[in-house]
Amino acid sequence: MKVLANSLRYLYTHFKVKTVFVVFIAFGIVSIPALMINSFVAIRIAEDAVSPIIAEKLIGLRNNKAQVVQSYFDNKFHIIQLLASSDEIIKATNDFEDSLPLINNDFLKTPEQQKLAIDQSRKNLKRYYSKVFLTELQETTPNVEFSEVMLPKSTAGILLQDAFMASADPSTLPIFITKSEKVLAYSNFHEKYHPSLKKLLAENLFADIYIVGKGGDVLYSAQKKVDFATNVTDSFFKTEGLVKAYQESAHANKGDVIFVDFAPYSPSYGRASAFIATPIFDVDKKVGTLIIQLTTLDLTMQVTNYFRWNEDGLGDTGEVIITGIDGRTRIDTRKFVNEPELFVNTHGGVENKFLVNSFTKFNSDSYILKMQTVGIENAKKGKSGIDAYTNYYGQKVIGAYRPLNIKNAQWVIASEVSKDQADALVNSLKRNVWYASFCILLVVGFLSYFFAKLDRKSTRLNSSHVSESRMPSSA
């Protein structure tokens, strides 16, 4: 400090440097290094503090969304239990079951008229399957051609599908058909129960509601797809979700709930669907099975907060990923919701045409997209943690992952943000520290200038008073 003081005195004495400038030099030499050191220390502390904050946020979000998923399914499980024990469902099951023999034997028609009606209905169904159903299914599913084994095996099934699907007005969706003159014995009960069941479907965002009889007949379906009026024991779709749900619930006790994980479902044109089933008991007698179908849309809405990722604190790049242990997504991804053309461009080519067709048809990449990231692979092994890795479209991310089980289905959940977004927080803190340091320099510099000017003025006044006091008196 003595050397610095001598240097400043030398500048002032020999070079006639103003006091103000000398003060500024002293201020710069002393203040700037101190502020720089403090700034670097503050930045280092900020960097060390940000990483745990980001990790804590991602882990908290991951756990919160895992609870959202669990609550979503718990709610669905509870609803189906309540429905299966309701008087309406029990009565509907019994009434629909009792109507089947009356459909097979219409006493208002002669045997010849019944045979002609059945033959015509079969012909109508063949046309419907080949021209309507398969035309759409072939867009998303390879190697599927029409065969008569697809058709219901029973006479009642042929007549019911024809009445509500093949011979119905093409401009009217089957769900909006309440009654058909072709199957009056069944229609009378359908007219009674369908409006309330259709309302339940809409209120709970089910894809479909099924009532399956004790012998495996699909007695009721709200949507009336090609699985309606079939028998699950000999169904053409016996390897798919509806039949699996029925089979797994065959030995279930009253109140037990069965969950069949999402997978492509042919009667829904290959759209990924999950099924929840529970037995229907009339007092202590099992009379059927209630099954509901779900798509991934409702679950996606719940997890993504209706596509409001920013409100969940995920910024412009973050998202929550849910997959099965097969790596296939169980909800839609943010990237392809916001940039659907990217999926089409990424999966272009003849070999991927069914993927692209499915994506554009259902406006969803759920189950279509398959991921294999470090986070997913670790969670598949039962691990929970947070890591930096490359996500499903090649971006560096920081992700918090863990296993997630829904009944017997093993899933993975991960909350991710891009590394650039995480780094942006650190960079923002750095900028704020430098801005603050610069502002401090300006304020302190201004104050130094002000007090130096004030000191110099005071010095001049004192010098003037001294000079006046030394002047000789005229008297």
Side-chain angles (χ1 to χ4, degrees):
M1 292 298 294
K2 186 175 181 181
V3 174
L4 175 62
N6 290 335
S7 300
L8 293 174
R9 190 179 297 111
Y10 181 84
L11 283 172
Y12 179 75
T13 305
H14 293 274
F15 294 97
K16 308 299 182 182
V17 179
K18 294 181 178 181
T19 304
V20 174
F21 186 61
V22 172
V23 170
F24 268 126
I25 294 174
F27 159 73
I29 293 173
V30 174
S31 301
I32 291 177
L35 276 171
M36 288 184 68
I37 291 170
N38 286 335
S39 297
F40 280 119
V41 171
I43 288 170
R44 177 61 63 185
I45 292 172
E47 287 177 338
D48 292 340
V50 165
S51 293
I53 290 172
I54 293 173
E56 183 178 351
K57 184 176 181 180
L58 286 173
I59 291 170
L61 184 63
R62 177 202 68 190
N63 293 341
N64 173 263
K65 294 301 182 179
Q67 186 58 51
V68 167
V69 175
Q70 192 66 61
S71 297
Y72 169 82
F73 282 106
D74 286 345
N75 180 54
K76 301 301 183 190
F77 298 155
H78 183 60
I79 289 172
I80 196 172
Q81 287 173 321
L82 292 176
L83 289 175
S85 62
S86 67
D87 288 341
E88 183 179 25
I89 293 296
I90 295 168
K91 289 177 181 178
T93 304
N94 290 328
D95 287 344
F96 286 136
E97 188 85 66
D98 292 341
S99 73
L100 292 186
L102 300 178
I103 298 171
N104 290 329
N105 297 288
D106 189 343
F107 298 109
L108 298 177
K109 295 178 182 177
T110 65
E112 290 77 13
Q113 288 175 325
Q114 290 185 48
K115 184 177 183 305
L116 287 173
I118 293 169
D119 290 344
Q120 184 60 49
S121 292
R122 187 180 296 276
K123 187 183 296 183
N124 294 342
L125 275 187
K126 288 179 181 179
R127 184 176 62 252
Y128 177 83
Y129 272 70
S130 59
K131 302 296 184 183
V132 179
F133 169 64
L134 283 175
T135 299
E136 293 204 46
L137 181 61
Q138 287 167 346
E139 292 177 3
T140 62
T141 308
N143 306 319
V144 57
E145 300 293 339
F146 174 73
S147 170
E148 287 202 37
V149 298
M150 293 180 174
L151 303 181
K153 305 301 185 292
S154 69
T155 299
I158 295 291
L159 293 171
L160 284 169
Q161 282 202 1
D162 179 38
F164 286 92
M165 294 158 50
S167 294
D169 183 352
S171 64
T172 304
L173 292 174
I175 192 172
F176 297 113
I177 300 172
T178 303
K179 191 172 183 177
S180 172
E181 298 296 327
K182 288 192 170 190
V183 283
L184 280 175
Y186 179 89
S187 286
N188 291 332
F189 294 122
H190 189 270
E191 189 175 26
K192 178 181 178 181
Y193 298 112
H194 181 63
S196 60
L197 291 173
K198 182 175 68 172
K199 184 180 179 182
L200 276 171
L201 183 90
E203 289 175 346
N204 294 285
L205 298 177
F206 299 150
D208 209 344
I209 299 175
Y210 300 89
I211 297 175
V212 182
K214 55 182 178 288
D217 290 310
V218 181
L219 303 174
Y220 173 83
S221 161
Q223 296 282 9
K224 307 296 188 301
K225 303 186 292 291
V226 295
D227 49 11
F228 168 60
T230 60
N231 188 291
V232 293
T233 61
D234 57 13
S235 171
F236 179 76
F237 311 107
K238 59 187 176 184
T239 62
E240 301 191 26
L242 179 68
V243 177
K244 286 182 178 180
Y246 175 80
Q247 290 172 339
E248 291 184 26
S249 65
H251 302 291
N253 297 317
K254 190 175 184 178
D256 288 349
V257 176
I258 303 300
F259 175 69
V260 175
D261 200 358
F262 289 98
Y265 188 56
S266 296
S268 295
Y269 307 117
R271 182 163 195 169
S273 300
F275 293 85
I276 301 172
T278 193
I280 302 169
F281 279 83
D282 188 355
V283 189
D284 294 326
K285 179 184 177 183
K286 183 177 179 180
V287 295
T289 304
L290 181 65
I291 303 175
I292 60 175
Q293 179 188 7
L294 303 173
T295 65
T296 59
L297 177 60
D298 188 22
L299 182 59
T300 295
M301 293 295 191
Q302 299 300 317
V303 174
T304 64
N305 191 21
Y306 293 87
F307 302 129
R308 296 193 293 256
W309 294 279
N310 290 77
E311 291 184 16
D312 281 340
L314 286 164
D316 295 328
T317 65
E319 66 178 314
V320 174
I321 301 292
I322 298 177
T323 75
I325 58 172
D326 55 5
R328 295 194 177 276
T329 52
R330 294 322 195 246
I331 63 171
D332 292 337
T333 60
R334 182 176 187 174
K335 189 67 173 176
F336 296 135
V337 167
N338 291 337
E339 301 177 50
E341 70 282 354
L342 181 63
F343 184 93
V344 176
N345 295 336
T346 303
H347 298 87
V350 176
E351 69 278 6
N352 289 321
K353 73 172 184 176
F354 295 109
L355 288 178
V356 173
N357 288 346
S358 296
F359 176 77
T360 54
K361 187 177 185 66
F362 308 126
N363 195 28
S364 168
D365 64 353
S366 297
Y367 202 88
I368 299 169
L369 186 64
K370 188 173 183 179
M371 299 184 187
Q372 193 172 4
T373 66
V374 169
I376 291 172
E377 293 303 309
N378 285 343
K380 282 163 60 174
K381 299 172 184 175
K383 298 177 182 178
S384 298
I386 184 165
D387 280 308
Y389 51 85
T390 303
N391 72 357
Y392 61 96
Y393 61 93
Q395 186 177 44
K396 296 287 186 182
V397 297
I398 298 172
Y401 51 83
R402 56 166 277 194
L404 174 65
N405 296 333
I406 306 299
K407 293 239 177 238
N408 59 330
Q410 295 176 291
W411 288 5
V412 168
I413 185 169
S415 55
E416 300 176 351
V417 294
S418 71
K419 195 168 185 307
D420 289 341
Q421 182 176 316
D423 290 342
L425 181 58
V426 176
N427 293 333
S428 176
L429 286 171
K430 287 181 180 179
R431 285 194 300 271
N432 290 339
V433 169
W434 288 120
Y435 290 157
S437 299
F438 180 71
C439 290
I440 292 170
L441 284 171
L442 287 178
V443 171
V444 174
F446 173 76
L447 292 174
S448 299
Y449 175 81
F450 174 77
F451 285 117
K453 291 284 285 185
L454 189 65
D455 179 69
R456 189 178 181 192
K457 184 177 181 181
S458 176
T459 302
R460 285 177 177 175
L461 286 173
N462 289 335
S463 299
S464 175
H465 288 314
V466 171
S467 298
E468 287 177 2
S469 65
R470 290 179 178 178
M471 291 177 63
S473 175
S474 60

